Amino acid sequence: MRRGGALLWLSVRAQAGPFALAIVGATLFAVMAVVGTVVIGRITDKVIIPAFEEGGVSNRAVALAAAAVIGASLLRIVGVVLRRYFGQMAQRRMQMLWFKRVTDRYLAVPLSWFDDQPTGQLLAHADADCERSTIAMQPLPFSIGVLIIIIVSMTLLAFVDPVLLAVAVCLFPGLALINKAYTKRVEGPAAATQARVGDVSAVAHESFEGTLLVKTLGLEAREVARLKEKADQLRQERLIVGRLRAGFEPGLDALPSLGTIALLWLGAGRLASGAITTGQLVQAMVLFGILAFPFRIVGFLLEELPRAVVANDRVQQVLVAPKRLLPTTTVALPTGPLDVVLDAVSFTHGPDAVLRDVSARVAPGEVVALVGATGSGKSTLCSLIAHLIDPDAGSVLIGGVPLPETDPVEFHRTTALVFQESFLFSDSVRENLSLGDDIDDDVIFAALDIAKARSFVERLPHGLDEKLGERGVTLSGGQRQRLSLARALLRQPRVLLLDDATSAVDATVERAILDGLRHSVAATTVIVAHRISTIALADRVLMLDGGRITAEGTHHELLAQPSYAALVRAYEQAPL
Amino acid sequence: MSHPEEDLGELEELDAIVDVLVDSAPPGSHDQERRHSITSDEEDALSAAGAIAVLRRGLAATPELRQGVVLTLALAVATALGKLAVPILIQQILDRGVFGKDGYRPGFVAAACCGAAVGIIALYFISRATFLRLVRSAEASLLGLRVRTFHHIQRLSLADHVEQRRGALVARVTSDVETLAQFTEWGAVAWIVDTVLIVTTVAVMVVYSPPLAAVAVAVFLPLLPALGYLQRRQLAAYDELRTAVGGTLSEVSELVTGASVVQAYGLQRRTRRRLDRAARTQYKAQMGAAKWFAVMFPLSDFFGALALATVISVGALNGPAWGLDLGKLVAFVFLVNLLLGPIAELSEILDQTQTAIAGWRKILGVLATPIDVTEPENGITLPTGPLAVDFEDLRFTYRTGGEVLRGINLHLPAGAYVAVVGETGSGKTTIAKLLCRLADPTAGTLRVGGIDLRQVAPESRRSTVRMVPQDGFLFDTTIAENVRVGAPETSDAAIQSAFDSLGLGGWLEDVPGGLHAPVGERGGSLSVGERQLVALARAQLGNPGLLVLDEATSSVDPKTEQALSEALERLTAGRTVVNIAHRLSSAERADLVVVVDNGNVVETGTHAELVAAGGTYATLYSSWLGNTRVLRDD
């Protein structure tokens, strides 16, 4: 609770302006709500009662009464609108602030940080968790208003009649307690219901995902039984919630009614003895009406607060993630082709050493193929050269400059890494290639030519402006890889890293791409290869095994080595 | 770093199977087959039907709900009586207990108050009991609906699983039923309770004073359309908000899933700009929605005040003339307030009602999708041993797509190893589907062991025709359970010997936990190749006469690859094998190669014959040779 208070205080201070307006609105509403009951009471005494007496009531009194009722309402409206609108504004601005902080951190963390974070959770941190961190801000102004209503109306009742005050004092704290007991009891089953919904969803998901298996093996009955079991558990959990609600909801209607009846019973006596006026009795009853609901609002606040704290804890976990180190001073890269040097590089991921003491040099303009079994460290090596990760020991130099000392902007202009999983943005083809830079169509098409992507891009209904992804066309794996390749070539990199970047491209097309690369790109190139035709492109082959370079030389030289020959034989089995 | 090599393998495998079965998120390699899977997400047979039609058909589909309507009416009456008790009591006490012609009557006041209190307490218990029964009956009917829908989806042909997204199918039995649950226990109840409350409140008003009741109703009348208007604007604003949130989420998702590209290309500033733009759009949408939310309640408040002012003015000026008493006029003040709640609530549940009806419509749409593959009564049992396969002018068309197979005639002799080759989208995976009767041909016949597959008893078909799917999907349980699936009585020993007979005993020993090792969600704890090994063991256990292999498209690490090809060799011995081949090395060793192109069989023969013939196959083969062998041979 103390942490909840701290979170709220922090949020309120950050959004002081809109929040203050929301409080003004809440106060205005609270005061006018109570004033409204006074108006009804006065009208009863001054208009309604005289109306049934000799001589009736003056038109002026009636008009005044109507004006008072409507005027009080208008002021309440101003209060509500202020409270709701600026309360929302404070909350949403705070949400935006958390969002900015979280996404800033996403942009600043090292790539490896993403490895053990499920995408769904990262999305939830930026969306739901930021929103929930602010959720307690919403009922706060109203809660403050409610406190004002309670204080003002109790004071007012005390002035009207101590007996009526006594009824209120007995009733409302009781109502608050019942409300609290209910939320507490329903919380567990309600959460359990959510979990059971998740179970049902998991069974349905798994079952539909394995349709092929389900159908070929005739598992329908088994699957239906599995779903039924989970759905029945959900139903039972819902019944528990239903039973609690069945007791509580009608009770929430009944209790204030009983209070009003008590008020009437005692009030009738007081009225007859002349201790109070009819108007005061009516006012007390209307007051009971407006007091019944607000206690729930305070309940909401108390309910939301722990949830907000939990959500904010998840946000804070993101905010303490370590940032990538940025160079303090930078060294400019030399002009012309660049060499790449790995100097006793080691890299460990979790408990496993991925690369052990690897040293190698790729000469300026040279094309080197990296081969090795799955998990031998090829991709890691590429990521190290692309400075996506830093080695645990040793250093990587490009053009003689250690990577940590290069200027990030210059480095990104110089090197390009094309991944095997070709990531494309849900945006136009052009945007995916230019990445926001202003680039001539000629340059784009030249790159598409080399990547053998031009013809299919031209066949798209909107050409370069075709939208890709969720709301656009779906490209095949090979087409996506070719676009990714074009994206890299477009930047005329001096160091080109291809991490199995053509694995999904048809064999014949791959050949054409590689030929094109050979003839038109003069970059220092490192290719991770799974196909012999790819290996053939290289001047030299480095073979990785268990994180070490175990062989080095041309393809023909290496064929003499049994381990290399075995690897090549395995590649031969490779799919089309 | 994880090993991207493997990740890609999974992606591709998944992707390929997705093309065969169900649609999922992008990375696609088979755009042609994918096309129709995207089209008909929410389309269904009932899309044009109105709300009333949906209600009628929905009630027909879930007869349990009828009982709920009666219960809800009872609940509504109890609630209304409980709420009306207070204003009536006020009137009675003022007019007959305090200001009546007999003056103050404490006895009457006490009796009236006690009576009302007892009544309210009694109504509380009645409401509680009715509500509980209502929840019970609603939950029972929803359980029935959920299970029926799930069962229906399970029985839909694979063609339907292609057409609709898996996520959408899951939604039918989860979120759509959930909205319906919400609706039956809140929205639908509110509709009935509020309507009854409004009607009874107006009735009490009419009893007190028909003209004053008419005045009150007249003032309230414009509130309904006004609230309806605000409601629509608010819904539109929420729609906009949802879109904006979706936009923000997709920006974040691109930052997260594309983190490597963002960092490799130094796109941080561009990404920041896009995120900021999305966040601002979302904020604007939020405030747009907040505007309508802010004025919604005040509108009711204002109309309430207007009605109150009118009733008081008109009542005070004409009251005595209209035969009104003091108590009745005061009671009117409370009755007017009583009308506000249900009117406001009705306008709010319009939204929920629309969602619920939309969800219901989607569920009914699924239930209305015909089941194409129906099992025969007294089906024929297939003989054991290898079986011949005959295609007779076989055609297949997807419900929403074009013709995939255009008249295939083919005889596959018993015991033959047949490789089906062809490019992506040629129709070769459809052949595999038809062989397992995952769908029936649109025209023509498919005979296995001389018997039309449609006449075969399902149990016999499932044990005799076995498919080894390329994705090696596994249930989230142990290796043993995944092999046992479909044959629940199999002993651990039999499973072990299935692995042993395929030469996989050694592999199994190396898996920590062995047979009882959990495989994780979708089998994710095992590599793609390893999952296929489990699938092979399962097939071995079934001892099928016809084995349908859907070969993996992506590379598997060399060690598993070797275990896999050895196990396949043993598994396929003595059976008819139809291999949907992605590797020409499989085609090389086949007894018969069938080349499929654009839904037609264009060539058949042995590998050597087809290479010599210089047709489609020869072209494919030489391009493959160019990629893998040329260098080693020279």
Side-chain angles (χ1 to χ4, degrees):
Chain A
M1 190 53 70
R2 222 180 55 227
R3 296 179 56 215
L7 174 63
L8 259 184
W9 180 234
L10 175 109
S11 312
V12 168
R13 269 205 336 232
Q15 306 299 335
F19 204 80
L21 280 169
I23 300 274
V24 168
T27 311
L28 181 62
F29 173 78
V31 171
M32 288 321 293
V34 179
V35 166
T37 68
V38 178
V39 167
I40 301 274
R42 302 275 293 172
I43 288 176
T44 308
D45 285 342
K46 303 287 176 195
V47 177
I48 295 182
I49 291 179
F52 293 96
E53 285 165 355
E54 284 299 312
V57 63
S58 73
N59 283 345
R60 193 173 161 272
V62 170
L64 213 61
V69 168
I70 290 171
S73 164
L74 287 176
L75 285 172
R76 275 200 303 271
I77 287 171
V78 172
V80 173
V81 171
L82 280 179
R83 188 192 76 217
R84 286 194 168 181
Y85 191 78
F86 288 102
Q88 274 280 318
M89 185 181 279
Q91 191 200 341
R92 296 313 187 181
R93 284 191 175 176
M94 195 63 210
Q95 182 187 341
M96 206 159 48
L97 201 63
W98 289 123
F99 175 82
K100 181 153 169 44
R101 287 186 191 164
V102 167
T103 49
D104 265 344
R105 190 55 58 137
Y106 285 175
L107 285 169
V109 292
L111 198 57
S112 56
W113 186 81
F114 289 103
D115 282 355
D116 25 72
Q117 313 270 354
T119 307
Q121 259 178 41
L122 292 172
L123 288 181
H125 293 329
D127 177 53
D129 288 340
C130 287
E131 182 165 14
R132 275 193 213 127
S133 292
T134 64
I135 200 86
M137 292 174 74
Q138 214 176 3
L140 184 59
F142 202 0
S143 298
I144 294 172
V146 164
L147 288 179
I148 296 172
I149 290 187
I150 292 169
I151 294 167
V152 174
S153 46
M154 291 298 175
T155 320
L156 216 60
L157 267 181
F159 278 110
V160 171
D161 190 62
V163 177
L164 302 190
L165 176 67
V167 177
V169 167
C170 290
L171 178 67
F172 291 111
L175 214 53
L177 283 179
I178 289 171
N179 193 45
K180 199 168 169 218
Y182 169 72
T183 36
K184 203 167 170 179
R185 283 182 62 190
V186 87
E187 202 164 18
T193 305
Q194 279 314 306
R196 295 289 92 81
V197 172
D199 288 349
V200 170
S201 172
V203 170
H205 228 287
E206 189 182 36
S207 187
F208 294 155
E209 205 160 21
T211 325
L212 188 57
L213 211 57
V214 171
K215 286 196 171 293
T216 53
L217 296 178
L219 305 177
E220 283 94 347
R222 180 191 108 123
E223 293 303 296
V224 169
R226 238 156 46 100
L227 182 98
K228 192 168 182 175
E229 187 196 329
K230 296 295 176 197
D232 197 51
Q233 285 172 2
L234 169 62
R235 183 184 68 97
Q236 282 167 9
E237 213 62 61
R238 276 253 178 68
L239 282 184
I240 296 177
V241 177
R243 202 167 294 135
L244 289 170
R245 258 187 75 203
F248 179 74
E249 295 275 341
L252 213 61
D253 283 340
L255 269 179
S257 296
L258 289 176
T260 314
I261 290 170
L263 199 66
L264 256 177
W265 193 348
L266 295 169
R270 308 286 292 168
L271 188 58
S273 70
I276 56 170
T277 66
T278 313
Q280 283 170 327
L281 179 61
V282 169
Q283 185 200 333
M285 285 190 296
V286 178
L287 212 49
F288 267 44
I290 64 165
L291 273 174
F293 180 67
F295 278 93
R296 293 188 90 174
I297 294 290
V298 183
F300 289 152
L301 177 66
L302 298 181
E303 261 172 68
E304 300 292 9
L305 214 47
R307 284 179 209 159
V309 169
V310 171
N312 195 248
D313 282 348
R314 289 194 290 265
V315 168
Q316 296 296 343
Q317 266 168 25
V318 173
L319 298 186
V320 297
K323 290 188 188 179
R324 259 191 330 271
L325 291 176
L326 291 175
T328 40
T329 54
T330 59
V331 179
L333 293 171
T335 52
L338 301 167
D339 70 340
V340 175
V341 173
L342 298 160
D343 183 13
V345 169
S346 295
F347 184 82
T348 307
H349 182 64
D352 311 315
V354 183
L355 291 174
R356 308 157 201 253
D357 200 24
V358 171
S359 291
R361 175 170 185 267
V362 184
E366 192 186 16
V367 177
V368 165
L370 279 182
V371 302
T374 306
S376 59
K378 304 180 298 270
S379 293
T380 307
L381 206 58
C382 283
S383 298
L384 279 169
I385 300 173
H387 202 199
L388 290 177
I389 50 178
D390 285 311
D392 298 319
S395 56
V396 182
L397 296 91
I398 170 172
V401 181
L403 292 189
E405 290 170 31
T406 54
D407 171 44
V409 176
E410 186 184 26
F411 181 79
H412 291 311
R413 266 208 311 268
T414 310
T415 32
L417 167 58
V418 186
F419 302 88
Q420 158 194 57
E421 294 160 80
S422 35
F423 179 83
L424 296 178
F425 295 97
S426 310
D427 210 321
S428 66
V429 174
R430 185 194 304 279
E431 179 68 22
N432 265 292
L433 295 172
S434 69
L435 298 173
D437 294 341
D438 201 10
I439 295 176
D440 275 355
D441 279 11
D442 294 350
V443 180
I444 291 180
F445 279 117
L448 287 173
D449 268 333
I450 302 174
K452 293 284 164 261
R454 181 171 183 154
S455 60
F456 84 77
V457 168
E458 282 176 339
R459 274 203 308 274
L460 294 171
H462 300 99
L464 280 179
D465 297 311
E466 187 75 36
K467 294 263 182 227
L468 303 179
E470 269 173 72
R471 283 174 291 273
V473 300
T474 309
L475 298 177
S476 75
Q479 290 172 329
R480 297 159 61 86
Q481 284 194 336
R482 283 182 267 169
L483 281 188
S484 304
L485 193 61
R487 168 160 71 196
L489 297 178
L490 201 60
R491 312 196 130 57
Q492 289 161 336
R494 287 190 279 159
V495 176
L496 180 62
L497 307 162
L498 303 179
D499 186 359
D500 211 6
T502 47
S503 57
V505 175
D506 282 350
T508 35
V509 178
E510 186 195 32
R511 246 188 140 180
I513 293 176
L514 295 179
D515 284 346
L517 267 182
R518 179 112 233 181
H519 291 118
S520 48
V521 180
T524 309
T525 309
V526 176
I527 304 181
V528 172
H530 273 133
R531 282 176 179 158
I532 294 174
S533 54
T534 323
I535 300 174
L537 184 88
D539 301 318
R540 211 149 49 92
V541 180
L542 295 181
M543 179 159 128
L544 279 171
D545 190 10
R548 292 177 202 279
I549 293 181
T550 52
E552 190 175 342
T554 66
H555 176 63
H556 290 272
E557 287 164 18
L558 289 184
L559 275 175
Q561 294 208 16
S563 57
Y564 183 76
L567 191 72
V568 167
R569 254 202 309 284
Y571 284 166
E572 231 168 60
Q573 297 293 320
L576 276 174
Chain B
M1 300 290 289
S2 63
H3 305 307
E5 285 98 325
E6 239 173 63
D7 293 347
L8 179 68
E10 284 179 28
L11 271 178
E12 273 192 352
E13 299 246 320
L14 233 168
D15 195 40
I17 197 75
V18 150
D19 270 39
V20 188
L21 299 176
V22 276
D23 183 36
S24 85
S29 54
H30 308 216
D31 15 357
Q32 173 146 38
E33 283 196 351
R34 177 170 302 277
R35 283 277 145 72
H36 24 111
S37 51
I38 295 171
T39 51
S40 65
D41 174 22
E42 311 300 345
E43 286 173 17
D44 53 49
L46 285 174
S47 58
I52 302 293
V54 171
L55 278 176
R56 212 174 43 230
R57 296 183 96 161
L59 281 176
T62 26
E64 301 98 320
L65 279 178
R66 282 173 202 279
Q67 193 201 354
V69 176
V70 178
L71 281 170
T72 315
L73 269 175
L75 179 68
V77 172
T79 311
L81 288 180
K83 289 203 167 167
L84 284 168
V86 170
I88 295 175
L89 186 68
I90 293 174
Q91 181 266 327
Q92 287 291 318
I93 285 180
L94 286 181
D95 286 345
R96 297 173 63 188
V98 183
F99 298 117
K101 51 185 186 300
D102 302 329
Y104 178 46
R105 296 159 63 200
F108 175 80
V109 170
C113 286
C114 286
V118 169
I120 282 173
I121 291 170
L123 287 171
Y124 164 77
F125 283 107
I126 292 172
S127 298
R128 198 170 91 157
T130 335
F131 187 82
L132 199 54
R133 286 195 58 190
L134 181 66
V135 171
R136 276 213 193 99
S137 97
E139 284 301 328
S141 60
L142 290 170
L143 176 69
L145 182 66
R146 203 194 293 267
V147 173
R148 275 199 294 276
T149 310
F150 180 80
H151 191 198
H152 193 91
I153 294 175
Q154 288 288 10
R155 280 156 58 205
L156 290 179
S157 104
L158 265 191
D160 288 306
H161 282 266
V162 177
E163 284 161 29
Q164 278 164 302
R165 288 187 301 161
R166 181 192 310 147
L169 289 179
V170 173
R172 294 303 158 268
V173 293
T174 53
S175 55
D176 288 339
V177 177
E178 291 308 303
T179 19
L180 211 50
Q182 286 268 321
F183 181 67
T184 47
E185 280 164 34
W186 298 85
V189 173
W191 269 109
I192 299 179
V193 170
D194 289 336
T195 313
V196 170
L197 192 53
I198 291 173
V199 169
T200 46
T201 306
V202 171
V204 173
M205 284 180 168
V206 169
V207 169
Y208 284 163
S209 164
L212 202 55
V215 168
V217 170
V219 175
F220 269 125
L221 273 182
L223 178 59
L224 268 179
L227 280 176
Y229 170 77
L230 282 185
Q231 183 71 32
R232 278 194 302 279
R233 295 305 301 258
Q234 199 180 14
L235 281 184
Y238 277 131
D239 260 353
E240 212 167 292
L241 177 57
R242 262 192 292 275
T243 314
V245 171
T248 313
L249 276 177
S250 71
E251 287 296 339
V252 178
S253 136
E254 297 211 321
L255 154 63
V256 168
T257 52
S260 52
V261 171
V262 170
Q263 294 198 6
Y265 286 87
L267 302 176
Q268 284 86 354
R269 283 182 56 197
R270 170 181 180 271
T271 312
R272 180 75 263 159
R273 266 201 314 277
R274 293 176 64 116
L275 285 167
D276 287 345
R277 200 188 316 145
R280 262 199 313 276
T281 310
Q282 183 180 335
Y283 173 74
K284 271 188 200 143
Q286 279 165 337
M287 293 318 291
K291 197 170 61 194
W292 299 111
F293 170 70
V295 295
M296 200 76 161
F297 169 79
L299 190 74
S300 302
D301 185 302
F302 179 72
F303 270 88
L306 205 61
L308 200 60
T310 315
V311 163
I312 290 173
S313 316
V314 175
L317 292 174
N318 302 314
W322 286 351
L324 229 65
D325 305 314
L326 165 66
K328 284 180 185 163
L329 188 52
V330 172
F332 252 96
V333 170
F334 287 86
L335 289 170
V336 163
N337 266 329
L338 212 51
L339 276 181
L340 272 181
I343 291 179
E345 194 173 44
L346 276 183
S347 75
E348 266 164 42
I349 54 173
L350 268 178
D351 169 29
Q352 206 194 28
T353 308
Q354 280 168 351
T355 332
I357 286 186
W360 216 355
R361 179 180 287 149
K362 288 183 203 159
I363 294 173
L364 293 172
V366 165
L367 286 175
T369 313
I371 293 166
D372 298 334
V373 177
T374 47
E375 300 295 358
E377 280 177 44
N378 307 320
I380 304 165
T381 304
L382 288 169
T384 50
L387 300 168
V389 179
D390 291 280
F391 296 80
E392 271 171 41
D393 199 28
L394 195 80
R395 289 170 182 276
F396 187 76
T397 310
Y398 281 106
R399 195 169 293 163
T400 56
E403 197 168 40
V404 182
L405 297 178
R406 304 158 191 265
I408 294 202
N409 286 294
L410 208 55
H411 171 74
L412 312 178
Y417 186 108
V418 181
V420 181
V421 299
E423 283 178 8
T424 305
S426 59
K428 60 183 174 175
T429 37
T430 307
I431 292 180
K433 280 194 248 176
L434 296 183
L435 279 173
C436 300
R437 212 182 166 215
L438 297 174
D440 280 334
T442 329
T445 345
L446 175 56
R447 287 180 217 281
V448 172
I451 301 164
D452 186 338
L453 206 52
R454 281 172 291 207
Q455 308 294 317
V456 177
E459 312 80 50
S460 171
R461 187 187 66 235
R462 280 170 198 141
S463 61
T464 314
V465 183
R466 271 299 172 96
M467 180 187 240
V468 180
Q470 58 177 342
D471 75 331
F473 169 89
L474 298 180
F475 287 104
D476 186 5
T477 165
T478 62
I479 290 180
E481 285 306 314
N482 269 294
V483 175
R484 214 189 312 264
V485 105
E489 284 88 40
T490 316
S491 69
D492 278 7
I495 294 173
Q496 181 67 49
S497 76
F499 275 105
D500 289 339
S501 65
L502 292 177
L504 296 174
W507 168 77
L508 195 59
E509 266 172 41
D510 288 346
V511 177
L515 271 185
H516 302 290
V519 301
E521 209 176 307
R522 244 203 256 149
S525 308
L526 301 180
S527 76
V528 184
E530 289 173 325
R531 271 179 260 158
Q532 282 200 305
L533 297 183
V534 177
L536 293 186
R538 182 163 51 216
Q540 170 76 6
L541 208 57
N543 192 24
L546 170 60
L547 195 61
V548 181
L549 301 176
D550 198 358
E551 222 168 55
T553 46
S554 66
S555 48
V556 168
D557 67 279
K559 209 172 136 198
T560 315
E561 177 81 48
Q562 203 179 353
L564 202 58
S565 50
E566 242 182 74
L568 265 175
E569 191 125 348
R570 296 193 193 195
L571 176 64
T572 52
R575 313 183 200 279
T576 311
V577 178
V578 176
N579 187 358
I580 309 302
H582 296 284
R583 294 147 201 245
L584 288 193
S585 55
S586 309
E588 273 179 322
R589 55 174 282 241
D591 303 319
L592 182 68
V593 178
V594 174
V595 184
V596 187
D597 187 29
N598 198 19
N600 291 303
V601 172
V602 289
E603 288 171 24
T604 51
T606 65
H607 168 75
E609 286 165 10
L610 293 181
V611 170
T616 316
Y617 183 78
T619 318
L620 267 171
Y621 183 69
S622 70
S623 120
W624 176 69
L625 270 190
N627 268 298
T628 63
R629 290 225 176 131
V630 139
L631 286 151
R632 217 180 121 215
D633 288 347
D634 69 15

